[in-house]
Structures are given as C-alpha cells and as structure tokens.
C-alpha cells in the first residue's frame, strides 16, 4: 500500500519516456518574415500595410504644405513691413525671380541673431569669471581662518602638554589657560 501511494504522488505515473512524448511536441522554427498579418480572407494583411503607408505619405505631404505656407507668410510679413511695401508685393507676384534685397534682409537678420547670441555668451562668460573669482577669494579666506585656528590649537596644545623633568604637567600653563577662558566667558556675558 505504501508503494502505491508513493507512485501516485510522482509527476510521471507511466515513466519518463512515455510522458515526454505525450506532453511535449516537436518545436518548429518559424521564419518571422514568412508570417502574415491577418488571414487569407483579409488579403493576408498586405492591404492594411498599404493603407498605413498611404496614410503616412498623405500626412507627410500635409506637413510639407503647411511648412511652405508658413514660410510664404513669413516672407510676406518681412517684405511688407517697411518703406518698400510695393516692391515686396512685386516679389510675391514674381517668385521665380528673387531680388537681391531679399537676400540681404535675410543675412542682416541672421547677423543680428548671431550678435545677440554672442552678447549673451560673453555676459555668461563674465558671470562665470566673476563667480570663479569670488569662489577663489572665499577659499583663500577659509584657508587663512583654518590656518589661524590650527596655529592657536597647536600653541595651546604645546603649552598644556609641557612637563617637568620628572614627567609631571606644568600647572602654571593650565591655570593661565583656564583664567583666559573664564575671562572670555565673562566678557561675552
């Protein structure tokens, strides 16, 4: 009875060979390029791909037209502002022949933008230099303060650690130090 119970608890009641073939089928390798999206009735997904591509191309054309319209409106605004308003309208009517003053206007604007950027760059650089100098001054002050503090500590330590020839501490230095400390406390109060 005990053996039958033990067998019923095992994972493979009929043995390893039979269970392997029973539960596992051979794995086929599938080429992902030969898989089709959709069923044969739907045209195996090619129509869907074509629709998506056409939609993408259409959206691309719309964006291109929008960009061209914006560029034209910008040209109209720049050409119509100023005393040469009539000449600007002539340019719009005859877009095939660009005038020389349009090119100059474009370059002047770019130079202006460049000079502004250059000015901002120099201001930023000056601010950085100023901050660098301030940091250096602050570091020097800190070093000086730390040096003074360390020299005081060293002097105090040497004074308090003095010993007699028998190895006893010299009490006059310790009493003098305590007196200075008490006087400083009274002075602050």
């Amino acid at each position: 009875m005990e053996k039958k119970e033990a067998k019923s608890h095992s994972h493979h009641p009929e043995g390893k060979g039979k269970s392997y073939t029973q539960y596992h089928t051979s794995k086929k390798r599938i080429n992902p390029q030969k898989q089709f999206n959709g069923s044969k009735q739907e045209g195996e997904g090619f129509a869907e791909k074509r629709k998506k591509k056409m939609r993408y191309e259409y959206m691309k054309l719309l964006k291109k037209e929008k960009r061209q319209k914006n560029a034209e409106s910008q040209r109209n605004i720049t050409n119509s502002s100023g005393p040469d308003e009539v000449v600007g309208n002539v340019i719009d009517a005859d877009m095939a022949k660009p005038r020389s003053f349009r090119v100059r206007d474009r370059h002047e604007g770019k130079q202006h933008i460049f000079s502004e950027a250059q000015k901002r760059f120099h201001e930023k650089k000056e601010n950085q230099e100023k901050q660098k100098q301030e940091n250096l001054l602050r570091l020097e002050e800190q070093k000086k303060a730390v040096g003074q503090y360390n020299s005081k500590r060293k002097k105090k330590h040497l004074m308090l650690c003095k010993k007699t020839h028998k190895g006893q501490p010299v009490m006059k230095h310790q009493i003098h130090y305590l007196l200075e400390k008490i006087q400083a406390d009274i002075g602050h109060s």
Side-chain angles (χ1 to χ4, degrees):
M1 288 294 250
E2 292 176 16
K3 288 182 182 178
K4 288 181 183 177
E5 288 174 16
K7 281 186 180 179
S8 64
H9 289 295
S10 69
H11 294 290
H12 307 289
E14 292 140 13
K16 288 184 182 177
K18 289 182 181 178
S19 64
Y20 181 77
T21 56
Q22 185 179 4
Y23 294 114
H24 298 290
T25 57
S26 63
K27 294 182 180 178
K28 293 181 182 178
R29 292 187 181 192
I30 300 169
N31 189 351
Q33 293 166 342
K34 289 187 178 179
Q35 282 184 328
F36 301 114
N37 296 332
S39 63
K40 286 188 178 182
Q41 291 85 13
E42 294 173 1
E44 296 178 343
F46 295 119
E48 188 65 31
K49 286 181 185 176
R50 236 180 278 120
K51 283 181 192 175
K52 284 182 180 178
K53 181 157 176 81
M54 291 302 290
R55 194 177 300 132
Y56 171 73
E57 293 293 330
Y58 175 68
M59 296 306 282
K60 210 161 79 169
L61 281 172
L62 284 178
K63 284 182 185 177
K64 192 173 182 181
E65 287 175 7
K66 194 175 185 180
R67 268 189 254 129
Q68 287 176 348
K69 284 180 184 177
N70 286 340
E72 286 177 18
S73 65
Q74 286 288 64
R75 280 190 221 122
N76 290 341
I77 291 169
T78 55
N79 291 337
S80 64
S81 62
D84 300 321
E85 196 168 324
V86 177
V87 177
N89 290 336
V90 171
I91 291 170
D92 289 338
D94 191 15
M95 284 297 252
K97 298 177 185 177
R99 305 280 179 168
S100 62
F101 81 90
R102 277 182 60 215
V103 175
R104 262 182 289 164
D105 287 344
R106 194 179 335 145
H107 287 298
E108 285 175 11
K110 283 187 179 179
Q111 288 174 348
H112 180 67
I113 291 169
F114 176 73
S115 62
E116 284 181 8
Q118 201 172 21
K119 193 185 293 183
R120 275 185 268 140
F121 170 74
H122 287 301
E123 287 174 3
K124 195 174 183 180
K125 200 169 187 179
E126 287 173 8
N127 286 338
Q128 286 176 347
E129 288 293 325
K130 226 182 262 185
Q131 285 181 346
K132 203 174 189 180
Q133 293 296 329
E134 290 173 3
N135 289 341
L136 287 173
L137 286 173
R138 192 170 61 242
L139 280 173
E140 286 178 21
E141 289 173 4
Q142 283 179 352
K143 282 182 182 179
K144 193 182 280 185
V146 167
Q148 287 175 352
Y149 174 74
N150 284 338
S151 64
K152 279 183 183 179
R153 273 186 69 195
K154 192 173 186 180
K155 188 176 177 184
K156 180 182 78 173
H157 177 72
L158 290 173
M159 186 178 68
L160 293 176
C161 288
K162 285 192 176 181
K163 310 255 185 217
T164 61
H165 67 281
K166 291 186 176 179
Q168 299 297 318
V170 178
M171 292 305 290
K172 78 172 187 182
H173 297 299
Q174 291 187 8
I175 291 170
H176 184 69
Y177 171 72
L178 287 172
L179 179 67
E180 285 178 359
K181 202 172 180 182
I182 291 168
Q183 286 174 349
D185 285 344
I186 291 170
H188 288 297
S189 302

